[in-house]
Amino acid sequence: MNTIDTPILDTFIESSPFGICIINAESQLVEMTNDKYSNLFGEIRESWLGKSVDELTEMGHPIDKKVILNVVGTNTTFNAQGLKLKVNHHGKEEQIDISLTYSPITNPDGSVTKVTIWAVENNARTIELQNVATEKQNLNVERQRSYELLHEIPAGIAILSGKDLVFELINPLYQDLVPGRTLLGKPILEALPELVGSEVEKSLRKVYQEGKPLSFSNDQVRLSNSVSEELEDRYFTYRLLPRFNSEGSVDGIFIFTFEVTQLLDSKVNLERTSNNLNQIINMLPASVVIIRYDNLIVEMINDANLAYWKKTREEVIGKPFLEILPDLADQPFAGQLRKVMETGEIIDVKESPVLFTESDGTIRETFVDYTYQPLTGLDGKRDGVLVMSFEITDRVNARKQMQLYADQLLYANDQLSMLYNRLAKSESRFKFVFQKAPVAIGLLRGKDFIIESANEKILEVWGKTESIVGMTLADALPEIQDQPFLGLLEDVFTTGKPFYANEIRAMLMHENELKEIFFNVVYQPIADDDGNIADILVVATDVSEQVNARLSVEKSEAYFKMLADLVPAKISNALPTGEVTFFNKQWLEFAGMNFEDMRDFGYYQMMHPDEITDFQVGLSEAAANGKAHVSEMRFKNSDGKYIWHLNIASPILDELGTVTMWVGSTTDIQWLKEEEQRKNDFIGMVSHELKTPITSVNTYLQLLLRKAEKADDPFLQKAYTQSLKQIRHMTDMINGFLDVSRLESGKLHLEKSDFDFSELIEEVCIDYQLQYSTHHIILNFADAVTVHADRLKIAQVLNNLVGNAVKYSENGTKIHLSTEVNDRKIKVIIKDEGMGIKPENISKLFDRYYRVEQQSKIAGFGIGLYLSAEIIEAHDGKIWAESEFGTGSTFYFELPVK
Ligand code: ADP
């Protein structure tokens, strides 16, 4: 709380004969001051207000921040005297001498909230006192002069002379402290007998004896005001100064005093008012803030307002409004505040939106009812605005929400009120519309809810006939006794507030059977001429169909889940974002987790790391093409063991072809994999066992061939050559199977070396030309190019592709073998003029054991291309085929060159 607009305080400060300046202990800002105070410094009051102590010090004011802090800390008064100050008085540079008294103002809990500075200009006094000390000779003359001056000093001043302390001089202000009592010429204890034995007496004696000044602030003195009055507790701030004679010994006492009784009372009042005001304002459910001056400084604010602004007190007090809430600059508030200050008009706005930018950048939309009330200072000038606001965001939002819900019903309601308006004009027409309205409408009269009218629709919904008109609702529909409707109607009747509900469920008797009906309903109270609720209008729309439709969707979803749990496969659902919404029982059992854990743990966590990338790539391709992604992949079970699965992720598309959902079906194929492994092991073993006998058969055949050559037996020569060809076929085949089984067990080892690719092609080509005179092999390759690869394996690929070209084309056709070198790659092209491949089969050519069906007459096992692809891929290369069915095929592969 900074400033309190209490007239008592204002009046007090304004009428005080002393300069007063009130500083806020916390903010160190000047809260109040009067003209006398600022005049002392040749300035106008406005230049002080709102300034901080530091700013005042900069302006040359002798105010001492340390003293203020000390007064706040110790809760004691402090006097600073003999402060010299150069001021500009009426255009003249003058040196003045002032005393500043710093007094604390405390809360009831004893903490200091403000410091009041009392300023007295005491040039005359100080000069005089110095003279007393230094120029004792001129004592009498000077005394006379000072006496004259003393009359002008705005404090009560008295001089007591001799050790009896006789009033030698008093100024009018001193006399005013005890009006009507005779002082001059009398000893003080005689003139003011109530002081006998008091602290004042003791202090006077002390000063007289010790020759040292004493100061007191807010000191209690029991003193009667005037002769006739009783003793009162009064408070004075005073100073006793010894007066010295020419010998340098004390011969009297100067008293400087001012009464602070009223001030203290005001202070107590001020505190009380301030605390009450604080408490009251803080207790208000409204937000309250006081804003001052053109720059709209926030002077006071309550907790509710701080909470609404989401600020702390430190962040707002003493700061310009727009600096605290810069986002309000574009909103009308600052302009309105200034207008109130200028014109004094009161602004009262209801349901105004106020937008705040939150720290995270989002906009907080709030609604408030607010009033701006001008505040006027004692001078009659407007200097501030009292802002009171009520935040009604919840109310506004709730209403908006409700409006939304009730739109449909309100529409019906609107129509109905239209009908109502027309009733006066044409009752029969109204009745017709009312009767035929597509919504159920009924009017219930009085607190017994007598059915006054019911249209066809409502009778249909209720399952009743017109015979119920005139009955009470409870009698007409006995089945609703234990349902909430009668209670709701009673609430509407007593509160006068309409009731809205959506999809409310009722069980109503239709032809002797309870039927479940859902409807959206409005109970609209209707007041009579006296404003009392007389009737309730019931408007309802039957929404059973849509509720049932929704329920059946929910049911079929549940059905789907049930089915999904029954199938042996693992089924899952996911959103297009990948967030999984469902795992069936098989999945959860496999993972050993509940749904939430499995969803949060992450489907990907269960995948074998080697397959995640392929899966992701495959999935995004599937999403782009709108096709299912099929892959064999491993998932970790609850024992941490990876199990092979056939995973099919199918996108569900909407009419526009966008993915709305993924359905995953994942089947355990571990046994199949194991079977396959066993088969591979077996093939590997058999192939290996066959190799030795075939090698020896080969050797024998060669020996026999040589013998036949020597014997010059052409028949045997041809027979042996033919047999050798068959043996070579068989060797190739066995090697192929061995390779497959090695590949399956991950044992395909590459032995890479640098070699000239052209040389290799030439070798393969010559080999074939020698063997197959049936086809024309045409070679067309680029110059020498070095690759770093497994020469034997690449030769195997070339043999395979050229072998296929021969195998799948007619005798006498051409086979083109060419290379292209570009972009650090070598591309090998093998083109035949054979039977070609149908487009739908091209993608499957490189699969293991795949053979195009029609060619089953041509021998083969479907492993050549599979092995070739594996070898090329192991070299970071690429292999593919193009073909025109019936015309020929072209196979390509690419390898990086060195
Ligand atoms: P194999 O030739 O032993 O059957 P491959 O893996 O070498 O096995 O070839 C797989 C299949 O691809 C063949 O069965 C054949 O149907 C088809 N194919 C391969 N090369 C050609 C080609 N040049 N022309 C037509 N079809 C081919």
Side-chain angles (χ1 to χ4, degrees), residues 806-864:
V806 169
K807 212 159 74 169
Y808 298 104
S809 58
E810 295 291 330
N811 285 354
T813 55
K814 289 180 197 136
I815 294 167
H816 297 266
L817 187 54
S818 57
T819 59
E820 283 171 14
V821 181
N822 59 2
D823 267 3
R824 292 198 235 131
K825 275 184 223 148
I826 177 161
K827 182 152 93 178
V828 183
I829 306 156
I830 299 110
K831 185 171 160 30
D832 64 48
E833 294 168 351
M835 57 183 55
I837 306 151
K838 287 190 180 152
E840 65 266 29
N841 294 329
I842 291 212
S843 63
K844 296 179 249 172
L845 291 179
F846 301 95
D847 291 352
R848 193 175 32 160
Y849 305 131
Y850 177 78
R851 309 204 65 215
V852 175
E853 269 170 37
Q854 292 93 325
Q855 283 105 48
S856 50
K857 337 176 191 93
I858 303 170
F861 289 95
I863 54 174

Side-chain angles (χ1 to χ4, degrees), residues 551-566:
L551 290 178
S552 79
V553 168
E554 281 165 16
K555 216 188 267 172
S556 71
E557 203 174 300
Y559 199 61
F560 158 76
K561 288 189 175 160
M562 198 184 78
L563 274 183
D565 280 347
L566 288 178

Side-chain angles (χ1 to χ4, degrees), residues 694 697-698 700-702 704-705 715-731:
I694 280 189
V697 170
N698 193 35
Y700 282 121
L701 277 175
Q702 278 183 358
L704 288 171
L705 176 62
F715 173 75
L716 280 182
Q717 270 181 42
K718 200 168 173 213
Y720 291 140
T721 311
Q722 208 54 37
S723 305
L724 272 170
K725 224 186 236 176
Q726 292 303 324
I727 287 293
R728 186 181 161 156
H729 257 313
M730 224 168 154
T731 317

Side-chain angles (χ1 to χ4, degrees), residues 502-513:
N502 278 350
E503 295 189 2
I504 195 162
R505 177 174 170 272
M507 295 301 288
L508 295 170
M509 196 64 88
H510 278 229
E511 289 162 357
N512 297 323
E513 244 178 82

